[in-house]
Structure formats: structure tokens, C-alpha cells
Amino acid sequence: MGNYIDPHIHMVSRTTDDYKRMALAGCVMVSEPAFWAGFDRSGAEGFRDYFRQLTEYEGKRAAAYGIAHASWLCINAKEAENVSLAREVIKLIPEFIEKPGVLGVGEIGLNKNTRNEATVFQEHLDLAARLGELVLVHTPHLVDKYKGTRMILDMVRAEGRIRPERVCIDHVEEHTIRPALDAGHWVGMTLYPITKCTPARAADMVGGVRHRARAREFGRRLGAQRPPGRPRVHLRDARPGPRRGDDQEGRP
């Protein structure tokens, strides 16, 4: 059995037995984004304790089983409707961002695609840009994922100070993976047995991306080999020639 890294898991909600099982299965590292605790926290100090848990305590729990622990910091999209609270929490992040194992700002994003959520997302992006941090983005599960993803991509593009390759768009599905990749971002898929994305769907998406990448590379090489002065022919405009055994009009 080979080793693996779990790039997105919320271990604060897991028991120590889960660390043991993961270690036995070959897990050598986990990446833990800040997330919703299952209820809305009442004030910024609750997030201060949560950030301490992520940056000071959880790594020790993981290390007891030989697993490295990394984390991301933010106020999650589900609690971002409270803009005043979100701003208090964002002010706390620089206090913890330089601690060992902190990867950047995340998982920020949208939940119901509201104006307040967008405001808080943009203010997280501003913080990440000012501090030079990586960004992990949560795309909606319960409402229009495509609309939310487009909103996110537009806001990241408008921010302008964060290079696309420093942003990972998570929870992509068949209808959102291509816009995120075309924008130059990394993407992540969330594999669940029933909800979100199944392993079979994820394999199909990866296969589709590889197929398009091969087609682009073939087109690039074809263009590079074009003799001077010969017009470029797009692959989508090409027509297949007669196959062996066809008549002169291409009929079998």
C-alpha cells in the first residue's frame, strides 16, 4: 500500500481513532481548511480559539500517529453573512498566518451567492494579496454552483494582485471544472460515496481534462509544423478523409 496526502479534511471534527486508521491506510500528511463548526459562532474570540486549535494543538494530535498537519485560516462562507463579525475575524488572521504549517487563506468562498458573502470573500482576497498568501476557495454545494463559481472567478480576476496559479478552486464538478482551469487555477474535487462527486465521476472529469490537453498539444504541434505561408487549419474545421475501402466520395 502506498502513502498518500489528504489535501482537504477537517480533523478537528474527527476522533483520534480516525488518525490511527488513516496512518494505517498510509496517510502521511493532512491539509485542514478552516470551516463551519456546525453552528454559527457568537463572536471573534471563538475563532481565535479555533485558530489556536488548528495551529497549535491539532498538529500534535496528528504527529502522535506520524502524520504531518497543515492548515488554512479564514471565516467560512456559511458565517460570512455577518459582515461585521467576519471583519473582526479577518483582523485576527495575521496573528496566526506565520505559524508553522499554515498554508494560506481558506477555505473562503460562497455558500448562497449573497452580496454579503461576496463582500467577505473580496476582503479575504485583499488580505491574501497584501500578505502574499495562497488561497483555497470553497464553491457552493446547496445553491447554483455554476453561478457561484463564475462569481468567484470574476472576483479573483478583478482582484488582480493574486496570480491564478496561487489559487485552488475546490469542490469542482463537471460544469465548473473547465471555467476554473481555463482561468489558470488549480482545482480540487470532493469525493463522497453518494453526495457531491463520486469516484467514477471524478475519473471521468480527469479523463476529459487529459483528453483536451492532448488535443491542444496535438494542435500546437500541428501548427508548429505548418509550412510558411500555409493557412492555419483549426482541428474543429478539419474533415476526415476517405478511409481504406471507401469510394472516391467517401462512402463505404
Side-chain angles (χ1 to χ4, degrees):
M1 180 180 297
N3 293 334
Y4 73 94
I5 296 171
D6 193 317
H8 188 137
I9 189 167
H10 302 292
M11 293 307 298
V12 297
S13 64
R14 299 282 187 169
T15 67
T16 304
D17 285 345
D18 289 326
Y19 272 121
K20 180 179 179 180
R21 294 187 185 100
M22 291 167 66
L24 290 173
C27 183
V28 295
M29 182 179 180
V30 296
S31 167
E32 179 162 7
F35 83 131
W36 188 52
F39 67 99
D40 292 345
R41 282 159 278 212
S42 61
E45 288 305 307
F47 282 88
R48 185 189 297 276
D49 286 339
Y50 177 47
F51 292 163
R52 288 186 57 234
Q53 183 180 13
L54 286 174
T55 61
E56 299 174 11
Y57 176 73
E58 203 58 38
K60 297 175 182 177
R61 208 161 66 106
Y65 293 90
I67 297 175
H69 180 275
S71 59
W72 303 77
L73 304 176
C74 73
I75 178 170
N76 67 90
K78 280 195 175 184
E79 290 171 283
E81 196 61 37
N82 186 336
V83 176
S84 60
L85 171 62
R87 286 172 173 160
E88 291 183 52
V89 175
I90 290 172
K91 289 178 182 177
L92 296 176
I93 294 175
E95 177 183 338
F96 295 90
I97 200 72
E98 296 296 336
K99 287 185 175 290
V102 177
L103 299 178
V105 177
E107 57 180 306
I108 62 175
L110 299 176
N111 179 45
K112 295 182 179 179
N113 301 338
T114 68
R115 183 183 300 273
N116 284 353
E117 291 171 5
T119 295
V120 173
F121 179 72
Q122 290 169 314
E123 294 188 12
H124 274 110
L125 290 178
D126 173 71
L127 177 70
R130 287 188 285 109
L131 299 181
E133 295 295 333
L134 300 171
V135 177
L136 177 63
V137 178
H138 167 97
T139 53
H141 294 312
L142 302 179
V143 295
D144 191 334
K145 179 181 282 286
Y146 182 80
K147 176 183 177 181
T149 302
R150 296 301 321 189
M151 289 172 63
I152 286 166
L153 295 176
D154 288 345
M155 287 186 283
V156 173
R157 186 183 307 109
E159 209 302 315
R161 291 173 291 170
I162 303 173
R163 297 199 309 273
E165 66 271 18
R166 293 182 62 80
V167 178
C168 179
I169 307 297
D170 214 343
H171 313 310
V172 298
E173 295 182 5
E174 290 87 347
H175 57 312
T176 58
I177 185 172
R178 178 50 50 191
L181 288 173
D182 286 346
H185 303 304
W186 294 89
V187 298
M189 304 177 198
T190 304
L191 305 190
Y192 277 33
I194 300 175
T195 61
K196 298 186 176 70
C197 182
T198 64
R201 286 173 58 200
D204 287 344
M205 281 189 275
V206 171
V209 169
R210 287 177 175 170
H211 175 76
R212 289 189 60 156
R214 286 195 297 267
R216 284 197 301 270
E217 177 63 14
F218 177 70
R220 186 190 67 78
R221 293 183 180 183
L222 192 67
Q225 296 172 6
R226 187 178 70 253
R230 180 173 296 178
R232 182 182 299 274
V233 177
H234 293 286
L235 292 180
R236 64 175 178 272
D237 298 329
R239 298 292 184 267
R243 297 168 298 180
R244 183 178 302 181
D246 290 355
D247 64 16
Q248 290 183 347
E249 295 183 0
R251 293 188 297 260

